[in-house]
Amino acid sequence: MFKRVAVVGVGFMGGSFALACREAIGCEVFGIDINPQALEKGKQLGVIQEGSTDLKSISLFEPDLVMLATPVRTFVPIAEVIKDHISKECVVSDLGSVKGRLVYRLEEILGERFVGGHPIAGTEKAGVENSLKDLFRGKRFILTPTEKTHRETKEKIKDLWTKIGSLVEEMDPYVHDFVFGVVSHLPHAVAFALMDAVERLSKEIDLFRYPGGGFRDFTRIAGSDPVMWRDIFLENSQEVVKAIEVFMSSLQRLREAIRGGKEEELTEYLRKASAKRRSLEIS
Ligand code: NAD
């Protein structure tokens, strides 16, 4: 199992991974972040043992695992730098929310020692100070190997996440982007758009002074980090745009049923949606 783990991006996810990894396999963790304050906080909180703002200094730590935990559009430039500063045996993986062609680009740069992954766990809070040791316990972890992934690389990462307490599931990188484009990226897009709409409707009265329970529940995720979400939307743009288009047609059908006073159609639309939501085993 891994003994020396380098986490690139000592934020909420990188920090949570560092804590979980240390507890599961007792490894040493070295952090790299462009923000020196994140490294300082990470050290103070005992999340990382050492840290550096210089990506190239990763070679001094001689890691046997590098985990990428920065916003997804930084992965390629980071991989271009680290590829010459880690050993051939060093495994590289990631925690990014987008896979698809990004996985193939990283594989081109890093070779068969790279395997993509996405822990299906998180919150709207960013920053290492919000890290949670048990974030991944009992949660799904999607591993996205390709036909080129080294068998040993895949098994080692699978084993690590199983020890952390996650439920590992394999998925094709492009299927991953369709699935999470719909169940994760679309709801975030809608939540951000709702905030924008309410702001535009607040010209005369500050509507944010009257948040109901529905508004609170629905918009929690709109408080997520803008840079992280900009990167997710742009990196998975094809699937996100398709999902937004389908959503807009659903919203238009709802609007037309309301505008036309179509009582039966409206009841049926709401009844189907409500029954589906209640049938799901999620709270
Ligand atoms: P975060 O903002 O808490 O942490 C990101 C960290 O990366 C910050 O400390 C930032 O300073 C650092 N960083 C940014 N660019 C960098 C660069 N070029 N080099 C080095 N460091 C850099 O964000 P997070 O929530 O931890 O998200 C990190 C990754 O995890 C993203 O790829 C995201 O898609 C993925 N993810 C997030 C969640 C979630 O719920 N937050 C869930 C699953 C996956």
Side-chain angles (χ1 to χ4, degrees):
M1 204 15 96
F2 305 109
K3 292 198 165 56
R4 300 171 66 77
V5 176
V7 174
V8 185
V10 184
F12 168 65
M13 292 299 282
S16 301
F17 171 75
L19 290 172
C21 192
R22 279 175 66 188
E23 182 168 270
I25 61 168
C27 56
E28 276 184 69
V29 181
F30 182 73
I32 293 175
D33 203 292
I34 41 168
N35 178 1
Q37 282 166 356
L39 295 170
E40 209 38 59
K41 271 190 235 161
K43 275 197 273 185
Q44 271 167 18
L45 296 167
V47 172
I48 55 168
Q49 271 110 34
E50 275 308 318
S52 171
T53 53
D54 175 16
L55 202 47
K56 290 179 185 156
S57 70
I58 202 166
S59 59
L60 304 173
F61 184 66
E62 299 180 344
D64 46 18
L65 170 66
V66 177
M67 188 57 74
L68 306 178
T70 50
V72 288
R73 296 222 300 167
T74 64
F75 287 1
V76 167
I78 289 172
E80 293 282 9
V81 175
I82 61 169
K83 73 175 197 298
D84 298 324
H85 297 274
I86 52 174
S87 73
K88 291 221 164 8
E89 293 71 40
C90 179
V91 169
V92 183
S93 190
D94 75 300
L95 307 176
S97 310
V98 182
K99 304 268 77 87
R101 74 191 167 119
L102 180 57
V103 163
Y104 290 93
R105 275 152 76 207
L106 292 168
E107 196 174 70
E108 262 171 48
I109 302 166
L110 297 162
E112 59 187 18
R113 292 286 169 181
F114 171 78
V115 64
H118 178 196
I120 310 305
T123 73
E124 72 286 8
K125 297 191 177 93
V128 66
E129 61 278 17
N130 292 305
S131 298
L132 299 168
K133 175 170 66 74
D134 292 324
L135 180 67
F136 310 111
R137 197 175 293 280
K139 302 284 169 50
R140 273 213 177 87
F141 176 82
I142 310 292
L143 190 66
T144 58
T146 72
E147 51 294 343
K148 283 197 192 142
T149 311
H150 199 290
R151 199 184 55 80
E152 200 193 351
T153 303
K154 189 178 96 174
E155 291 309 317
K156 276 181 159 178
I157 292 294
K158 212 171 176 173
D159 203 21
L160 171 62
W161 283 98
T162 305
K163 284 197 166 76
I164 285 174
S166 296
L167 313 165
V168 181
E169 191 174 318
E170 283 185 36
M171 205 180 267
D172 172 85
Y174 286 105
V175 173
H176 167 281
D177 283 4
F178 163 66
V179 172
F180 292 95
V182 175
V183 302
S184 169
H185 309 169
L186 175 64
H188 279 82
V190 175
F192 286 121
L194 182 69
M195 291 304 294
D196 177 68
V198 176
E199 175 87 58
R200 288 162 59 203
L201 289 164
S202 285
K203 293 275 179 297
E204 316 253 306
I205 302 171
D206 179 8
L207 298 166
F208 295 105
R209 284 183 59 215
Y210 306 96
F215 182 83
R216 246 187 264 269
D217 287 353
F218 194 85
T219 57
R220 178 182 61 78
I221 55 177
S224 299
D225 187 66
V227 172
M228 176 180 130
W229 279 97
R230 176 202 64 195
D231 274 21
I232 292 172
F233 292 146
L234 293 178
E235 197 60 41
N236 195 24
S237 61
Q238 245 183 318
E239 296 299 346
V240 174
V241 167
K242 272 195 270 173
I244 289 176
E245 277 163 4
V246 174
F247 178 73
M248 283 169 76
S249 77
S250 290
L251 205 54
Q252 270 165 3
R253 272 176 41 228
L254 182 62
R255 183 190 62 193
E256 290 317 309
I258 297 170
R259 180 150 56 199
K262 296 174 186 164
E263 203 173 299
E264 251 176 63
E265 204 179 308
L266 183 57
T267 311
E268 187 52 16
Y269 185 113
L270 301 178
R271 192 198 57 74
K272 263 176 79 182
S274 165
K276 187 74 207 173
R277 180 62 178 88
R278 278 183 279 113
S279 76
L280 302 179
E281 285 173 14
I282 50 174
S283 57

